[in-house]
Amino acid sequence: MPPSSAGNQRVTFSLRAPKASRVFVAGSFNDWDPRADALIDGQGNGLFTTTLEIPRGEHEYKFVVNDLWTLDPNRPWRSSGQGSANHIHPEPPGPRRNRGRILASLKADPYLDPYQPAIAQRKEHRLATEHRITGGIRSLADFASAHQYYGLHDAGENHWILREWAPYATAMRVFGAFCQWDPHRGHALTRINAKGDWEAEIPKDLLRHHDLYRLHLTWPGGEGDRLPAYARRVVQNEETKGFDAQVWDPDQPFSWRHPRPDTGGDAPLLIYEAHVGIAQEEAKVGTYDEFRRHTLPRIANAGYNAIQLMALMEHPYYGSFGYHVANFFASSSRFGTPEELKELIDEAHRLGLRVIMDLVHSHATKNEIEGLSRFDGTPYQYFHDGPRGDHEAWDSRCFDYHKPEVLHFLLSNCRYWLDEFNIDGFRFDGVTSMLYAHHGLGVSFGDYAPYFDGAVDGDAYAYLALANKLIHEIHPQATTIAEDVSGMPGLGASLDEGGCGFDARMAMGIPDHWFRLTDIPDEDWNVEQLWHELTNRRQDERTISYVESHDQALVGGQGFLFQMIGAAIYDGMARDSQNTMVDRGVALHKLARLLTLATSDAGYLTFMGNEFGHPEWIDFPREGNDWSYHYARRQWSLRDNADLRYHGLAEFDRAMLEHLGNHRALDQPPELLYTHESDQVLAFSRGSLTFIFNFHPTQSHADYRIPVRPGSHTLIFDSDAAEFAGHDRVAPEQNFHPKGGAILTYLPTRTALVLLWEATQR
């Protein structure tokens, strides 16, 4: 063979495609011509090959098998947007992979070209911030150890040592029962440096395990009680409703029995979002122990591989859902002890469940005695001074991410939860609020300009990048997820190219779209637009898809099923009930979940109970509802009653996860096969599975032609099956063999079918 001409290279393309009669390769090197370059099965064994001379440089390409655009399941791929994906030649080096997917560089987005200098500046700012706090002589992990210095620590057989940072304070005392709760008779701390650190050695006969205590600070012009900023245990006085720090020093340290679950080679996260307090059916606050014994087995049996726990950090107001945090290093005592939380996490690991916690570093409660606000008498110790320090929409305080002491506090908090509680990762709450001075409120992110204007908080961006670096240095398999609605480019990109390094972003536009559809007549649902909304994602990041999280179910909102069937949810959910509105809601509830999961990227999420269409909303006890727990619980009896459609929805959810997991469908990208706007039919393949949806409210389609890959196709999953609260209109376990590149199948109204593809040998 003669040598390649100047500027060109010879590349061999190959694809194993038994049963295929013709195979082509198309890409940027041949103007994506699907008939330009054929592959030949020279040995008659189903292995098609060809060698082409193509220009040097990077090229995207794809195979065309029997006129169907196809990826090789054994070759890496890169998302190209709009639900499509292509192979890359040559395969780029480096670790930017998630299963078979290669993540693109930020530079691959041409719309970011004008902002590349700003992206480079963000990287430089992150590096400068890291150098500023570490001095360039210690690691970030060493820096993130404030919890090992501040707070109350055992200093030997006879005394404790207590340290706090309060630069504006002029005096500080610790007081409790040992001095009859008289702050002026408490044990004094001494200021030990100009920075504002205070320290005291406290005899152990003054403070013992379980004892309650507070600090009393004096500052110019005032004084007040405070709880230690680094307190690891805070409890509420049931009589006064006030909060106190508690000495927590068990005789024996907790012994972990089970290792963290293996991530399974970047297996997709199937996240069950949960709240310990509302996880039981009884009208009360649930406990860590009850969650461990009763709820964890449900989650594992349902097929999820991760739990996302809300409200773990201590928060004074139960109704805040855990988002008004006061004590960042204390696990919420209203649910139990730290050891009981550790037992919960250890049992989750035994069951193969990863534990992700909501990390609220976007703001803090305004409470002063039990919180950080005005800890040393100033409004700006941990927070911005002036109006910028207050989040008016959330009635909370906003951290100043420029201050080294704030970075010390927050980064140490990340490390503390990883080290002390064996947490497997974090969902960073309120990232949009952190990133912008306007908190993302009343701003349209219709183009890229708002991502780079003067409203962006570069210090917050640098903090998020440093937090991701720290977390992954301490626990390389940890998962970090950003809750950002703005679409800020770079959140999921690597630190080396100016990104924040998050493993995934919540795809918050997907639930918004599903809930918008509930206000549109069913016959106007556009399946092409739906496909776009579910698959349109940035090439440089991963996303977590979901139909609904806790956000949609909070008081003032409704769950997806409740939104569609209204009051019929109370009397129309019997399996044998005749109610067309309920039929509609139940069918669409299943289709929405299957389509969202089947088009997901790095993972899929549901909120506790929503998988079976839990009725009503979430509302915590408060004055406005007479302090009722009626809406702050989960009615598992509805799910367990086989005579109710709730049971069928739960069984559908379990089977859905099982089928996609068993066949590792999410290891490959979704590939669109067919859409028809007026018929409201959508079909796509993913790995060895083919998904066919008919969203039409009134038209069932007989002998409907769907283009598929060559081979055998067997029906393995039918959303309309009777066991899934359906009408059983499709014969089970049908087998299809394509003719003319397509199969003919019956598609009842509001039904989805899943076929298993086998590329049978000739």
Side-chain angles (χ1 to χ4, degrees), residues 456-482:
V456 175
D457 187 339
D459 292 319
Y461 191 97
Y463 164 68
L464 292 170
L466 291 173
N468 274 286
K469 179 180 179 180
L470 169 73
I471 291 164
H472 291 106
E473 282 182 354
I474 294 171
H475 179 24
Q477 299 303 315
T479 299
T480 56
I481 302 170

PDB file of all heavy atoms in Angstrom, residues 456-482:
ATOM      1  N   VAL A 456     -21.277  37.791  38.707  1.00  0.00           N
ATOM      2  CA  VAL A 456     -20.742  36.486  39.098  1.00  0.00           C
ATOM      3  C   VAL A 456     -19.779  36.657  40.267  1.00  0.00           C
ATOM      4  O   VAL A 456     -18.905  37.525  40.251  1.00  0.00           O
ATOM      5  CB  VAL A 456     -20.031  35.811  37.907  1.00  0.00           C
ATOM      6  CG1 VAL A 456     -19.368  34.506  38.350  1.00  0.00           C
ATOM      7  CG2 VAL A 456     -21.018  35.543  36.774  1.00  0.00           C
ATOM      8  N   ASP A 457     -19.939  35.821  41.272  1.00  0.00           N
ATOM      9  CA  ASP A 457     -19.062  35.845  42.446  1.00  0.00           C
ATOM     10  C   ASP A 457     -17.887  34.909  42.179  1.00  0.00           C
ATOM     11  O   ASP A 457     -17.989  33.694  42.341  1.00  0.00           O
ATOM     12  CB  ASP A 457     -19.842  35.393  43.684  1.00  0.00           C
ATOM     13  CG  ASP A 457     -19.044  35.547  44.976  1.00  0.00           C
ATOM     14  OD1 ASP A 457     -17.798  35.609  44.905  1.00  0.00           O
ATOM     15  OD2 ASP A 457     -19.667  35.592  46.054  1.00  0.00           O
ATOM     16  N   GLY A 458     -16.773  35.482  41.765  1.00  0.00           N
ATOM     17  CA  GLY A 458     -15.594  34.682  41.456  1.00  0.00           C
ATOM     18  C   GLY A 458     -15.047  33.936  42.654  1.00  0.00           C
ATOM     19  O   GLY A 458     -14.473  32.847  42.510  1.00  0.00           O
ATOM     20  N   ASP A 459     -15.237  34.491  43.851  1.00  0.00           N
ATOM     21  CA  ASP A 459     -14.787  33.800  45.060  1.00  0.00           C
ATOM     22  C   ASP A 459     -15.624  32.554  45.327  1.00  0.00           C
ATOM     23  O   ASP A 459     -15.095  31.523  45.759  1.00  0.00           O
ATOM     24  CB  ASP A 459     -14.855  34.738  46.258  1.00  0.00           C
ATOM     25  CG  ASP A 459     -13.848  35.876  46.169  1.00  0.00           C
ATOM     26  OD1 ASP A 459     -12.705  35.616  45.754  1.00  0.00           O
ATOM     27  OD2 ASP A 459     -14.215  37.013  46.508  1.00  0.00           O
ATOM     28  N   ALA A 460     -16.929  32.633  45.077  1.00  0.00           N
ATOM     29  CA  ALA A 460     -17.792  31.459  45.253  1.00  0.00           C
ATOM     30  C   ALA A 460     -17.419  30.378  44.243  1.00  0.00           C
ATOM     31  O   ALA A 460     -17.376  29.187  44.578  1.00  0.00           O
ATOM     32  CB  ALA A 460     -19.257  31.857  45.098  1.00  0.00           C
ATOM     33  N   TYR A 461     -17.140  30.791  42.998  1.00  0.00           N
ATOM     34  CA  TYR A 461     -16.726  29.836  41.964  1.00  0.00           C
ATOM     35  C   TYR A 461     -15.425  29.147  42.383  1.00  0.00           C
ATOM     36  O   TYR A 461     -15.282  27.915  42.267  1.00  0.00           O
ATOM     37  CB  TYR A 461     -16.548  30.572  40.631  1.00  0.00           C
ATOM     38  CG  TYR A 461     -16.387  29.678  39.426  1.00  0.00           C
ATOM     39  CD1 TYR A 461     -17.478  29.370  38.619  1.00  0.00           C
ATOM     40  CD2 TYR A 461     -15.145  29.148  39.068  1.00  0.00           C
ATOM     41  CE1 TYR A 461     -17.333  28.569  37.497  1.00  0.00           C
ATOM     42  CE2 TYR A 461     -14.991  28.345  37.952  1.00  0.00           C
ATOM     43  CZ  TYR A 461     -16.093  28.057  37.171  1.00  0.00           C
ATOM     44  OH  TYR A 461     -15.952  27.250  36.060  1.00  0.00           O
ATOM     45  N   ALA A 462     -14.484  29.932  42.903  1.00  0.00           N
ATOM     46  CA  ALA A 462     -13.214  29.362  43.356  1.00  0.00           C
ATOM     47  C   ALA A 462     -13.432  28.412  44.523  1.00  0.00           C
ATOM     48  O   ALA A 462     -12.806  27.341  44.592  1.00  0.00           O
ATOM     49  CB  ALA A 462     -12.250  30.479  43.749  1.00  0.00           C
ATOM     50  N   TYR A 463     -14.337  28.784  45.456  1.00  0.00           N
ATOM     51  CA  TYR A 463     -14.609  27.883  46.575  1.00  0.00           C
ATOM     52  C   TYR A 463     -15.155  26.542  46.084  1.00  0.00           C
ATOM     53  O   TYR A 463     -14.738  25.472  46.553  1.00  0.00           O
ATOM     54  CB  TYR A 463     -15.601  28.499  47.569  1.00  0.00           C
ATOM     55  CG  TYR A 463     -16.158  27.427  48.473  1.00  0.00           C
ATOM     56  CD1 TYR A 463     -15.330  26.796  49.401  1.00  0.00           C
ATOM     57  CD2 TYR A 463     -17.469  26.980  48.343  1.00  0.00           C
ATOM     58  CE1 TYR A 463     -15.800  25.756  50.181  1.00  0.00           C
ATOM     59  CE2 TYR A 463     -17.950  25.943  49.123  1.00  0.00           C
ATOM     60  CZ  TYR A 463     -17.103  25.329  50.037  1.00  0.00           C
ATOM     61  OH  TYR A 463     -17.570  24.285  50.793  1.00  0.00           O
ATOM     62  N   LEU A 464     -16.108  26.573  45.163  1.00  0.00           N
ATOM     63  CA  LEU A 464     -16.690  25.335  44.653  1.00  0.00           C
ATOM     64  C   LEU A 464     -15.627  24.462  43.988  1.00  0.00           C
ATOM     65  O   LEU A 464     -15.628  23.236  44.147  1.00  0.00           O
ATOM     66  CB  LEU A 464     -17.813  25.647  43.673  1.00  0.00           C
ATOM     67  CG  LEU A 464     -19.068  26.283  44.296  1.00  0.00           C
ATOM     68  CD1 LEU A 464     -20.008  26.776  43.208  1.00  0.00           C
ATOM     69  CD2 LEU A 464     -19.778  25.298  45.210  1.00  0.00           C
ATOM     70  N   ALA A 465     -14.727  25.088  43.248  1.00  0.00           N
ATOM     71  CA  ALA A 465     -13.642  24.329  42.613  1.00  0.00           C
ATOM     72  C   ALA A 465     -12.715  23.717  43.663  1.00  0.00           C
ATOM     73  O   ALA A 465     -12.301  22.551  43.552  1.00  0.00           O
ATOM     74  CB  ALA A 465     -12.859  25.235  41.668  1.00  0.00           C
ATOM     75  N   LEU A 466     -12.379  24.483  44.691  1.00  0.00           N
ATOM     76  CA  LEU A 466     -11.514  23.969  45.748  1.00  0.00           C
ATOM     77  C   LEU A 466     -12.212  22.866  46.541  1.00  0.00           C
ATOM     78  O   LEU A 466     -11.570  21.878  46.939  1.00  0.00           O
ATOM     79  CB  LEU A 466     -11.098  25.105  46.683  1.00  0.00           C
ATOM     80  CG  LEU A 466     -10.140  26.136  46.086  1.00  0.00           C
ATOM     81  CD1 LEU A 466      -9.946  27.301  47.046  1.00  0.00           C
ATOM     82  CD2 LEU A 466      -8.794  25.496  45.749  1.00  0.00           C
ATOM     83  N   ALA A 467     -13.502  23.020  46.783  1.00  0.00           N
ATOM     84  CA  ALA A 467     -14.239  21.976  47.491  1.00  0.00           C
ATOM     85  C   ALA A 467     -14.220  20.675  46.706  1.00  0.00           C
ATOM     86  O   ALA A 467     -14.024  19.588  47.276  1.00  0.00           O
ATOM     87  CB  ALA A 467     -15.676  22.435  47.736  1.00  0.00           C
ATOM     88  N   ASN A 468     -14.403  20.755  45.397  1.00  0.00           N
ATOM     89  CA  ASN A 468     -14.354  19.545  44.574  1.00  0.00           C
ATOM     90  C   ASN A 468     -12.972  18.923  44.569  1.00  0.00           C
ATOM     91  O   ASN A 468     -12.823  17.697  44.643  1.00  0.00           O
ATOM     92  CB  ASN A 468     -14.809  19.864  43.147  1.00  0.00           C
ATOM     93  CG  ASN A 468     -16.307  19.787  42.986  1.00  0.00           C
ATOM     94  OD1 ASN A 468     -16.881  18.697  42.954  1.00  0.00           O
ATOM     95  ND2 ASN A 468     -16.951  20.933  42.904  1.00  0.00           N
ATOM     96  N   LYS A 469     -11.947  19.757  44.500  1.00  0.00           N
ATOM     97  CA  LYS A 469     -10.586  19.230  44.548  1.00  0.00           C
ATOM     98  C   LYS A 469     -10.336  18.512  45.860  1.00  0.00           C
ATOM     99  O   LYS A 469      -9.809  17.387  45.882  1.00  0.00           O
ATOM    100  CB  LYS A 469      -9.574  20.365  44.362  1.00  0.00           C
ATOM    101  CG  LYS A 469      -8.121  19.879  44.415  1.00  0.00           C
ATOM    102  CD  LYS A 469      -7.132  21.018  44.228  1.00  0.00           C
ATOM    103  CE  LYS A 469      -5.689  20.492  44.305  1.00  0.00           C
ATOM    104  NZ  LYS A 469      -4.696  21.569  44.131  1.00  0.00           N
ATOM    105  N   LEU A 470     -10.709  19.147  46.950  1.00  0.00           N
ATOM    106  CA  LEU A 470     -10.510  18.559  48.270  1.00  0.00           C
ATOM    107  C   LEU A 470     -11.253  17.231  48.406  1.00  0.00           C
ATOM    108  O   LEU A 470     -10.673  16.216  48.835  1.00  0.00           O
ATOM    109  CB  LEU A 470     -11.001  19.535  49.337  1.00  0.00           C
ATOM    110  CG  LEU A 470     -11.102  18.971  50.758  1.00  0.00           C
ATOM    111  CD1 LEU A 470      -9.718  18.794  51.350  1.00  0.00           C
ATOM    112  CD2 LEU A 470     -11.967  19.874  51.629  1.00  0.00           C
ATOM    113  N   ILE A 471     -12.522  17.229  48.064  1.00  0.00           N
ATOM    114  CA  ILE A 471     -13.354  16.036  48.235  1.00  0.00           C
ATOM    115  C   ILE A 471     -12.783  14.862  47.456  1.00  0.00           C
ATOM    116  O   ILE A 471     -12.695  13.735  47.962  1.00  0.00           O
ATOM    117  CB  ILE A 471     -14.801  16.343  47.803  1.00  0.00           C
ATOM    118  CG1 ILE A 471     -15.447  17.319  48.794  1.00  0.00           C
ATOM    119  CG2 ILE A 471     -15.632  15.070  47.679  1.00  0.00           C
ATOM    120  CD1 ILE A 471     -16.706  17.977  48.279  1.00  0.00           C
ATOM    121  N   HIS A 472     -12.354  15.110  46.229  1.00  0.00           N
ATOM    122  CA  HIS A 472     -11.854  14.011  45.403  1.00  0.00           C
ATOM    123  C   HIS A 472     -10.430  13.605  45.774  1.00  0.00           C
ATOM    124  O   HIS A 472     -10.008  12.487  45.474  1.00  0.00           O
ATOM    125  CB  HIS A 472     -11.969  14.377  43.928  1.00  0.00           C
ATOM    126  CG  HIS A 472     -13.387  14.451  43.445  1.00  0.00           C
ATOM    127  ND1 HIS A 472     -14.025  15.641  43.174  1.00  0.00           N
ATOM    128  CD2 HIS A 472     -14.316  13.491  43.231  1.00  0.00           C
ATOM    129  CE1 HIS A 472     -15.263  15.404  42.792  1.00  0.00           C
ATOM    130  NE2 HIS A 472     -15.467  14.107  42.823  1.00  0.00           N
ATOM    131  N   GLU A 473      -9.692  14.499  46.422  1.00  0.00           N
ATOM    132  CA  GLU A 473      -8.383  14.094  46.942  1.00  0.00           C
ATOM    133  C   GLU A 473      -8.551  13.176  48.149  1.00  0.00           C
ATOM    134  O   GLU A 473      -7.845  12.180  48.294  1.00  0.00           O
ATOM    135  CB  GLU A 473      -7.562  15.327  47.340  1.00  0.00           C
ATOM    136  CG  GLU A 473      -6.926  16.052  46.167  1.00  0.00           C
ATOM    137  CD  GLU A 473      -6.076  17.231  46.617  1.00  0.00           C
ATOM    138  OE1 GLU A 473      -6.077  17.535  47.835  1.00  0.00           O
ATOM    139  OE2 GLU A 473      -5.415  17.843  45.762  1.00  0.00           O
ATOM    140  N   ILE A 474      -9.502  13.495  49.002  1.00  0.00           N
ATOM    141  CA  ILE A 474      -9.727  12.688  50.195  1.00  0.00           C
ATOM    142  C   ILE A 474     -10.401  11.363  49.848  1.00  0.00           C
ATOM    143  O   ILE A 474     -10.034  10.305  50.360  1.00  0.00           O
ATOM    144  CB  ILE A 474     -10.585  13.472  51.206  1.00  0.00           C
ATOM    145  CG1 ILE A 474      -9.810  14.688  51.718  1.00  0.00           C
ATOM    146  CG2 ILE A 474     -11.010  12.596  52.377  1.00  0.00           C
ATOM    147  CD1 ILE A 474     -10.652  15.621  52.552  1.00  0.00           C
ATOM    148  N   HIS A 475     -11.384  11.421  48.977  1.00  0.00           N
ATOM    149  CA  HIS A 475     -12.152  10.226  48.597  1.00  0.00           C
ATOM    150  C   HIS A 475     -12.337  10.251  47.079  1.00  0.00           C
ATOM    151  O   HIS A 475     -13.304  10.820  46.585  1.00  0.00           O
ATOM    152  CB  HIS A 475     -13.497  10.219  49.323  1.00  0.00           C
ATOM    153  CG  HIS A 475     -14.375   9.064  48.994  1.00  0.00           C
ATOM    154  ND1 HIS A 475     -13.915   7.855  48.523  1.00  0.00           N
ATOM    155  CD2 HIS A 475     -15.728   8.924  49.078  1.00  0.00           C
ATOM    156  CE1 HIS A 475     -14.920   7.037  48.314  1.00  0.00           C
ATOM    157  NE2 HIS A 475     -16.041   7.668  48.650  1.00  0.00           N
ATOM    158  N   PRO A 476     -11.398   9.656  46.328  1.00  0.00           N
ATOM    159  CA  PRO A 476     -11.439   9.757  44.863  1.00  0.00           C
ATOM    160  C   PRO A 476     -12.741   9.275  44.234  1.00  0.00           C
ATOM    161  O   PRO A 476     -13.123   9.751  43.164  1.00  0.00           O
ATOM    162  CB  PRO A 476     -10.256   8.886  44.418  1.00  0.00           C
ATOM    163  CG  PRO A 476      -9.319   8.906  45.579  1.00  0.00           C
ATOM    164  CD  PRO A 476     -10.189   8.950  46.802  1.00  0.00           C
ATOM    165  N   GLN A 477     -13.452   8.347  44.901  1.00  0.00           N
ATOM    166  CA  GLN A 477     -14.697   7.841  44.332  1.00  0.00           C
ATOM    167  C   GLN A 477     -15.920   8.619  44.804  1.00  0.00           C
ATOM    168  O   GLN A 477     -17.057   8.223  44.497  1.00  0.00           O
ATOM    169  CB  GLN A 477     -14.855   6.362  44.702  1.00  0.00           C
ATOM    170  CG  GLN A 477     -13.749   5.468  44.167  1.00  0.00           C
ATOM    171  CD  GLN A 477     -13.620   5.564  42.660  1.00  0.00           C
ATOM    172  OE1 GLN A 477     -14.629   5.534  41.945  1.00  0.00           O
ATOM    173  NE2 GLN A 477     -12.402   5.689  42.165  1.00  0.00           N
ATOM    174  N   ALA A 478     -15.710   9.691  45.538  1.00  0.00           N
ATOM    175  CA  ALA A 478     -16.847  10.489  46.002  1.00  0.00           C
ATOM    176  C   ALA A 478     -17.580  11.116  44.816  1.00  0.00           C
ATOM    177  O   ALA A 478     -17.001  11.350  43.751  1.00  0.00           O
ATOM    178  CB  ALA A 478     -16.374  11.583  46.956  1.00  0.00           C
ATOM    179  N   THR A 479     -18.853  11.377  45.029  1.00  0.00           N
ATOM    180  CA  THR A 479     -19.695  11.999  44.004  1.00  0.00           C
ATOM    181  C   THR A 479     -20.097  13.396  44.457  1.00  0.00           C
ATOM    182  O   THR A 479     -20.564  13.577  45.580  1.00  0.00           O
ATOM    183  CB  THR A 479     -20.960  11.164  43.758  1.00  0.00           C
ATOM    184  OG1 THR A 479     -20.591   9.874  43.291  1.00  0.00           O
ATOM    185  CG2 THR A 479     -21.867  11.835  42.740  1.00  0.00           C
ATOM    186  N   THR A 480     -19.908  14.372  43.591  1.00  0.00           N
ATOM    187  CA  THR A 480     -20.358  15.732  43.882  1.00  0.00           C
ATOM    188  C   THR A 480     -21.354  16.161  42.806  1.00  0.00           C
ATOM    189  O   THR A 480     -21.106  15.987  41.619  1.00  0.00           O
ATOM    190  CB  THR A 480     -19.184  16.725  43.928  1.00  0.00           C
ATOM    191  OG1 THR A 480     -18.458  16.666  42.690  1.00  0.00           O
ATOM    192  CG2 THR A 480     -18.247  16.386  45.078  1.00  0.00           C
ATOM    193  N   ILE A 481     -22.465  16.718  43.250  1.00  0.00           N
ATOM    194  CA  ILE A 481     -23.553  17.101  42.351  1.00  0.00           C
ATOM    195  C   ILE A 481     -23.905  18.560  42.623  1.00  0.00           C
ATOM    196  O   ILE A 481     -24.062  18.963  43.778  1.00  0.00           O
ATOM    197  CB  ILE A 481     -24.792  16.219  42.566  1.00  0.00           C
ATOM    198  CG1 ILE A 481     -24.439  14.734  42.353  1.00  0.00           C
ATOM    199  CG2 ILE A 481     -25.929  16.626  41.644  1.00  0.00           C
ATOM    200  CD1 ILE A 481     -25.538  13.776  42.788  1.00  0.00           C
ATOM    201  N   ALA A 482     -24.029  19.337  41.572  1.00  0.00           N
ATOM    202  CA  ALA A 482     -24.362  20.761  41.699  1.00  0.00           C
ATOM    203  C   ALA A 482     -25.842  20.977  41.425  1.00  0.00           C
ATOM    204  O   ALA A 482     -26.361  20.517  40.401  1.00  0.00           O
ATOM    205  CB  ALA A 482     -23.531  21.590  40.726  1.00  0.00           C
TER     206      ALA A 482
END
